[in-house]
Structures are given as C-alpha cells and as structure tokens.
Amino acid sequence: MLASIVLGTVVGIGCGAVSGLVPGIHANTVAGVLLSLQALLLAWFDPVFIASAMFSTLVTHTFLDNVPGTFLGIPDADTSLAVLPAHALCLEGRGEEAVRISALGSAAGVAFSLPLGLAFVLFLPALQPAIDWGIGLVILAVAGYLIVVSESPGWALAVFAVSGLLGLFSLGYSFLAWPTGGESGVLMPLLSGLFGIAVLLHASHGAMPEQRFSGIALPAGALRRGSLLGSAAGALVGWLPGLSSATANALLTSVVGYDSNPREYILATSAANTVNAFLGLAAFYAIARTRSGVMAAIGALEELPPATAILLAGALAAIGAYLLTIRLSSMAAWFSGVNTTLLNHAVIVFVALLSLFLCGPFGVLVLLLATAVGYVPTLVNVRRVYCMGAIMVPVMVYSFGLA
C-alpha cells in the first residue's frame, strides 16, 4: 500500500502543478479525468493509487494556484480576493515574497488541519442538522457587517446585490455553457471578470519594477494570527455544505483587510484554501458528504481506500508542493522590466479566449457582465470585496432553500 501512496502522490503533485499553474484548469477537472480512466488504471494499480493521486492533486493545487494570480493577475476560483494584494506586491517588485507568503500560509494550514479535522470528526456530526440550517445566517451576518462598516454603505449594498444577481444568473443558467469547463466552469469567467480583467483595465502602466526578494516582511504576531484565522475560516467552509475557499476569502476580510494588511491576508487565505481541502476529506469520511469534485470522484471509486492512506498522501504532497512553490517563486525575476500594458492586454485576451473555450458564448457573456460589475467599485470608491456577492448570495439562496 505504501508504494501505491507514494506513486500516487508523485503523480498528483505533477497533475496539481499543471492545474495550479494553468488558469482555467481545476483539481476537480483532473480528478474527473482520473475517474474516467479508472477501468484502465485499475488494470495496473489499486484504488489507493488513484485516490492518492486525486487528493494529492487537490493539495498541490492549493499551494500553486496563487502563482498565476500573483504574476499575471488572473484569479483562480479559490483565490479571487487574494489576487488583489498578491498582484499589488508584484507591481511593487515583491512578487517572490507574495508567493513565498502564500506557500507559508498553505504549510501552516496543513499543520492546523490535523487537529481541526480530528476535533470536527469527533464532535460535529451530531450537530450537523443545526449547522446546515445556520449557514445562510452566518453568511448573511458577515455580508451585513461588511456593508455596514463600508465607506459608502449604499454603494457597497448595490455592488453586493448586483454581483449577487449576476452570480445567481451565471450559476442558474450554467447549462447554457459548453461542458468543456465542467459543472463549475462558469466560475472562471465570473470571477475573472470581477477580480481579474476589471482590475487589469484600471492597472498602472509602464514597466514592471525589478523583482527582488529581501525576506518576508511579516511580523511573528501577524504570522500566528493569519495562520489561525485562515485555518478557522478554511475549516468552516471545508465542513459546511455549499461553501468554498472563495467564501472564506470574503469571511476573512471582516477581520483582516486585504488592502491594509496584504501580507497577512495572503497568508490567511492560503491557509484557508489548504485547510478547506483537508477538512473536505474529513467531512467525506465522517458524514459521507462531498465538498468538492475531488471528494465526489474519490467516492465514485469501485473501492473506497482507508482515510489514513489518503491523508498520508496529502501530507506528502504538501511537502513536495511547498518545495515546488518556493522554487517557482524565483519566476518573479522573469517579469522585471516587462511592459505591464502589453502584459495586461495579453492576459485580457487570454482570459477571453479561455472563457470562450471553456464555456462558449455564454462564458464570454458572463465575462463581459462580470467585468462591467467589477469596474464599479473603482468608480464609486468602495472595496472590491463586495463583488463577492456573486458567491455569497447563491450560497445564502441555497441554504435558505429558495433554489
């Protein structure tokens, strides 16, 4: 069994590197491909290998998905808000620092996942009915708080509501999209428009400053606080149904400002992203609920491997992914002196073509609408976090049984 775990982990790290570094490809997509090849793979390997590869892909993805966001400004579905401070640091010549902070946050998330997962498995299954009922209220309370403390509550509410309607429209009519991107493929143009293209259109022009790394400017107190807050948020969305790392990003803005504390926010969101993966595994084995496409794919295997085997694969993948992320952080030097105007235009064209490829004309429509909505916060001077209504409103509607 150990050989299957190690080999599956190596394959998963390779697959996770591809899904994390290539915008538009998610670990869920890779898991679906592996599941479709199950009959072929079982002729050579056992289910432990396949499950280890699937979960290792997910864990590796959580380490690397902030890299394209940092250097190119293209958000992943799980790192939408985290892209803003990470790309801003890159524009200050600190791209490598941003990636290293992200890797550190994910590593901290792995450390906190084990005790959190054990505590949740022991105590939460009995409380699950009450927890399911209260999800929407938690999201509503957080959204209300963010709006009330806004510089302009009226505009904040308007942006939140309009982006929420756009999220309901995009997800409700996702059947109009091409199946290339999978069931959640429409999230790519939705979040790329709100947090990617809308930002790039307003971004500064000129040459990218020289990228230098002189250490991580993150005090010990911020490191501890960001790790704890991010792990708590990741545990919350990892266990509760209907929530995602994008929701954790929004929850964290109520206690850690991505504009006032960018480094701590990157750390916290990265920790949340990785904890979400591990707690999703705990929820799957404890209460038989799938929190991601990867967990659904593991559940569809002919034979369900023991949780300890998959957990070991995830831990090994985290070590490999951390080292790989640190190595890739040196890519920052490649962007020194690059014309940011041309780079931004190239990224916009790439995202538009990717949206067309993944979702067809419907994806392009969603991208255009999302870009228009995402540009409003810049015009009315409110924080872009209120665009997270695109994720939070559908979650509330689902929780309250309205859809």
Side-chain angles (χ1 to χ4, degrees):
M1 179 181 290
L2 182 59
S4 296
I5 293 173
V6 173
L7 185 57
T9 299
V10 173
V11 172
I13 291 175
C15 292
V18 173
S19 67
L21 295 175
V22 180
I25 299 179
H26 196 273
N28 293 338
T29 308
V30 177
V33 172
L34 291 174
L35 182 63
S36 67
L37 298 174
Q38 177 182 189
L40 178 62
L41 292 173
L42 286 177
W44 298 89
F45 307 102
D46 57 14
V48 173
F49 165 82
I50 302 175
S52 298
M54 288 178 177
F55 190 62
S56 297
T57 297
L58 177 60
V59 171
T60 303
H61 183 99
T62 66
F63 275 81
L64 292 172
D65 58 357
N66 211 36
V67 174
T70 298
F71 297 134
L72 302 177
I74 305 177
D76 181 84
D78 297 328
T79 60
S80 47
L81 277 176
V83 163
L84 302 178
H87 190 58
L89 285 176
C90 183
L91 294 177
E92 295 175 4
R94 300 180 179 274
E96 182 172 353
E97 180 186 359
V99 173
R100 284 175 176 265
I101 291 174
S102 176
L104 187 61
S106 290
V110 175
F112 281 108
S113 292
L114 301 180
L116 283 172
L118 179 61
F120 277 30
V121 167
L122 292 176
F123 299 110
L124 291 190
L127 303 175
Q128 197 61 39
I131 293 173
D132 292 343
W133 180 83
I135 297 170
L137 295 178
V138 172
I139 301 298
L140 181 61
V142 171
Y145 171 78
L146 291 174
I147 291 171
V148 168
V149 300
S150 168
E151 306 87 344
S152 177
W155 277 113
L157 176 60
V159 171
F160 183 85
V162 173
S163 63
L165 291 175
L166 178 59
L168 289 172
F169 167 76
S170 302
L171 297 173
Y173 289 90
S174 60
F175 61 86
L176 296 175
W178 290 354
T180 313
E183 294 182 0
S184 60
V186 73
L187 288 175
M188 186 270 166
L190 176 63
L191 296 175
S192 292
L194 291 171
F195 300 98
I197 292 182
V199 175
L200 295 177
L201 288 174
H202 189 70
S204 58
H205 303 287
M208 185 81 75
E210 182 180 357
Q211 299 292 313
R212 294 181 176 179
F213 178 68
S214 56
I216 296 177
L218 193 65
L223 175 61
R224 289 191 297 269
R225 183 172 58 249
S227 298
L228 287 171
L229 291 174
S231 297
L236 180 69
V237 302
W239 188 273
L240 301 181
L243 306 185
S244 66
S245 293
T247 313
N249 285 200
L251 294 174
L252 286 168
T253 58
S254 62
V255 287
V256 183
Y258 62 78
D259 44 4
S260 57
N261 299 296
R263 291 171 176 81
E264 184 178 346
Y265 187 78
I266 295 171
L267 181 88
T269 52
S270 297
N273 199 11
T274 301
V275 170
N276 178 29
F278 279 90
L279 265 293
L281 178 68
F284 174 66
Y285 275 91
I287 57 177
R289 294 193 183 183
T290 57
R291 297 294 188 250
S292 67
V294 172
M295 292 300 106
I298 292 176
L301 292 175
E302 291 185 2
E303 179 184 339
L304 186 63
T308 51
I310 303 180
L311 189 62
L312 176 58
L316 294 175
I319 297 173
Y322 177 81
L323 297 175
L324 182 59
T325 306
I326 296 301
R327 177 64 178 169
L328 290 174
S329 66
S330 61
M331 290 171 49
W334 299 358
F335 292 88
S336 298
V338 171
N339 187 308
T340 56
T341 302
L342 293 178
L343 179 62
N344 291 345
H345 290 168
V347 169
I348 291 172
V349 171
F350 172 76
V351 170
L353 292 176
L354 185 61
S355 298
L356 178 63
F357 173 74
L358 293 177
C359 302
F362 182 74
V364 176
L365 174 63
V366 170
L367 181 68
L368 291 173
L369 294 175
T371 300
V373 174
Y375 204 76
V376 173
T378 301
L379 301 177
V380 299
N381 197 30
V382 297
R383 298 167 68 199
R384 198 169 298 277
V385 63
Y386 303 107
C387 290
M388 284 305 297
I391 299 296
M392 299 173 77
V393 170
V395 170
M396 286 189 285
V397 170
Y398 165 80
S399 175
F400 294 145
L402 301 178

